[in-house]
């Protein structure tokens, strides 16, 4: 059925109203879901209807059907995983991105979208601790950013060995090795798999006492089998502790052995945008590629991340594509030359708006406020009876656990108690946390990346933990 033009008015007007209700209600609504999987399935799992419906009714149905099944991840009291919120400007720009419907594949298919990516990419290069001449790509997440960067690494390392991987693939190619910390984020492994290098190419090193990569182990591994095409994946911001590898020591070791250094900076690279936390990233600029998320600490809606590559030629060689119907632009940047996707969302718009809203100083303040809030939450919880801080935040990530106070309680009892208290906190609807295993102990992760988290949120959160412990 062809719709009248006015259909947009009703559907979008309704959506805007519902969106504002949702956002204004974040302080009042539970941060956790209030319906379980059975209820959601019962409500949603219907046969595809034969007849369509009015657009506004379709949107209303969507809103009703997801009710209670949405987490309050946009709220300032959501501390699970590493999930950012959405700045007002970025959220509005993200709406407009869909409204404008530009295909950010080529300059020709979206001139302003291409130009914005070109400009915002340079802004990000000047804001984050990456090499000043880096090329960049706007991708869906750090997972995709790793794949993008490692494709450039694969190209470069194999080209140095006389192998054209884009032409010949990996069959009979020189061996590739990826040296990582045992505690890397698993998205590195998946990027390696996607690029056909296989899990067997991954060499995990036991971390040093601080949990970061041990320079002696790196030196030993690289020396053990010299000459192999090697990627060393380092970490700016460990998922549990927010700690950083010692780039000043590790990068020169890797470079001396001819390795490509990739940095997972999904959230941690943003520390480089703050004068107070920049020291944590010292030496990271001398790596070869970096991944950072926009949808975490920059508080741009999903899906948004950035891949940076110190060798634009290798980056472009890994992705550039030609087809008779997509003549490239001579004087502007065609995104397709740098990205794994073909047709794609114009991701630059939301980042452009976010950076205009915050400015350089606003990004720094947002990072610093998150870190302060993380410290206050961990300190507030640790002061409660039956709670213990396992990791005081050096950045925005902390760890606490809850103790089984019965005499003779074992590690398993403390682990059980930790799970139980986290469930109880989440059930209050006041704050939301996730768990992890750290140094053999179950722990509650405190991850603060939402621009909205305020002192009141910190107080409400500590009060919620106090109540959960008392119940
Ligand atoms: C350290 C780290 N690396 C990589 C990722 C994967 O990022 P994304 O989910 O944006 O693909 C995450 C996500 O939580 C992360 O925290």
């Amino acid at each position: 059925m062809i719709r009248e033009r006015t259909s947009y008015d009703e559907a979008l007007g309704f959506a805007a109203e519902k969106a504002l209700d949702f956002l204004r209600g974040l302080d009042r609504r539970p941060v956790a879901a209030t319906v379980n999987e059975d209820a959601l399935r019962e409500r949603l799992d219907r046969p595809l209807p034969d007849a369509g419906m009015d657009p506004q009714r379709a949107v209303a149905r969507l809103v009703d059907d997801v009710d209670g099944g949405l987490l309050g991840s946009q709220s300032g009291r959501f501390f699970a995983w590493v999930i950012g919120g959405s700045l007002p400007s970025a959220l509005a720009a993200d709406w407009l991105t869909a409204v404008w419907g530009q295909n950010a594949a080529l300059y020709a298919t979206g001139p302003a979208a291409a130009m914005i990516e070109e400009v915002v990419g340079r802004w990000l290069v000047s804001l984050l601790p990456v090499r000043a001449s880096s090329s960049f790509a706007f991708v869906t997440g750090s997972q995709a950013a790793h794949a993008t960067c490692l494709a450039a690494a694969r190209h470069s390392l194999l080209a140095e060995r006389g192998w054209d991987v884009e032409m010949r693939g990996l069959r009979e190619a020189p061996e590739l090795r990826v040296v990582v910390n045992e505690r890397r984020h698993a998205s590195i492994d998946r990027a390696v798999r996607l690029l056909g290098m296989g899990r067997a190419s991954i060499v995990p090193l036991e971390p040093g006492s601080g949990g970061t990569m041990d320079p002696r182990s790196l030196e030993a591994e690289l020396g053990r089998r010299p000459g192999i095409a090697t990627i060393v994946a380092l970490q700016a911001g460990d998922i549990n502790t927010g700690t950083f590898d010692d780039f000043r020591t590790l990068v020169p070791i890797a470079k001396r052995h001819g390795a490509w250094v990739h940095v997972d900076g999904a959230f941690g690279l943003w520390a480089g945008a703050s004068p107070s936390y920049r020291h944590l990233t010292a030496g990271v600029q001398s790596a070869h590629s970096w991944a950072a998320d926009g949808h975490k600490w920059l508080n741009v809606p999903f899906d948004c991340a950035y891949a940076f590559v110190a060798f634009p030629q290798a980056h472009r060689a890994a992705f550039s594509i030609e087809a008779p119907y997509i003549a490239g632009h001579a004087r502007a940047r065609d995104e397709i030359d740098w990205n794994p996707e073909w047709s794609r969302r114009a991701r630059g718009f939301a980042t452009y708006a976010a950076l205009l809203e915050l400015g350089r100083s606003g990004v720094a303040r947002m990072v610093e406020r998150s870190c302060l809030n993380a410290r206050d939450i961990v300190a507030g919880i640790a002061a409660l009876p039956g709670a213990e801080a396992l990791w005081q935040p050096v950045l925005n990530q902390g760890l606490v656990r809850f103790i089984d106070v019965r005499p003779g309680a074992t590690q398993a009892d403390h682990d059980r108690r930790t799970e139980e208290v986290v469930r109880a906190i989440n059930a209050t609807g006041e704050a939301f946390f996730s768990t992890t295993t750290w140094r053999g102990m179950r722990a509650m992760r405190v991850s603060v990346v939402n621009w909205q988290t305020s002192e009141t949120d910190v107080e409400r959160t500590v009060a919620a933990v106090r109540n959960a412990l008392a119940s």
Side-chain angles (χ1 to χ4, degrees), residues 412-425:
D413 294 323
H414 300 317
D415 288 351
R416 203 173 312 113
R417 177 69 181 151
T418 296
E419 291 289 352
E420 182 182 283
V421 176
V422 175
R423 269 198 306 277
I425 298 165

Side-chain angles (χ1 to χ4, degrees), residues 240-261:
N240 289 321
T241 59
T243 47
F244 290 66
D245 278 324
D246 175 0
F247 303 110
R248 275 183 298 196
T249 306
L250 294 165
V251 179
I253 295 174
K255 284 190 164 177
R256 219 176 326 109
H257 289 270
W260 176 290
V261 182

Side-chain angles (χ1 to χ4, degrees), residues 268-411:
L269 211 61
W270 293 98
S274 151
S276 310
Y277 290 91
R278 191 170 295 149
H279 63 279
L280 295 170
T281 66
V284 79
Q285 285 101 330
S286 52
H288 300 104
S289 60
W290 306 260
D293 270 315
H295 59 216
K296 289 191 169 65
W297 225 345
L298 188 59
N299 281 260
V300 166
F302 293 108
D303 311 283
C304 190
Y306 320 108
F308 302 98
V309 179
F311 300 114
Q313 227 181 328
H315 183 179
R316 190 178 178 145
F319 289 101
S320 188
I321 187 95
E322 286 177 7
Y325 76 104
I326 55 159
H329 199 282
R331 293 192 307 116
R333 182 178 183 273
D334 288 313
E335 301 95 316
I336 204 165
D337 287 332
W338 311 95
N339 280 78
E341 308 110 328
W342 200 285
S343 296
R344 56 191 280 279
R345 187 174 177 77
R347 290 191 193 103
F349 292 142
T351 301
Y352 182 74
L355 291 177
L356 286 181
E357 179 182 336
L358 295 172
R360 213 174 267 280
S361 59
V363 176
R365 274 198 304 276
M366 189 164 69
V367 166
E368 289 154 17
R369 206 174 50 237
S370 302
C371 297
L372 179 65
N373 286 332
R375 282 202 300 276
D376 286 349
I377 292 171
V378 170
I381 295 175
L384 300 172
E388 177 183 76
L390 292 178
W391 185 264
Q392 300 285 353
V394 290
L395 191 68
N396 62 332
Q397 308 286 123
L399 295 170
V400 297
R401 71 166 177 165
F402 301 102
I403 303 298
D404 185 333
V405 290
R406 291 175 305 176
T410 62
Q411 179 60 49

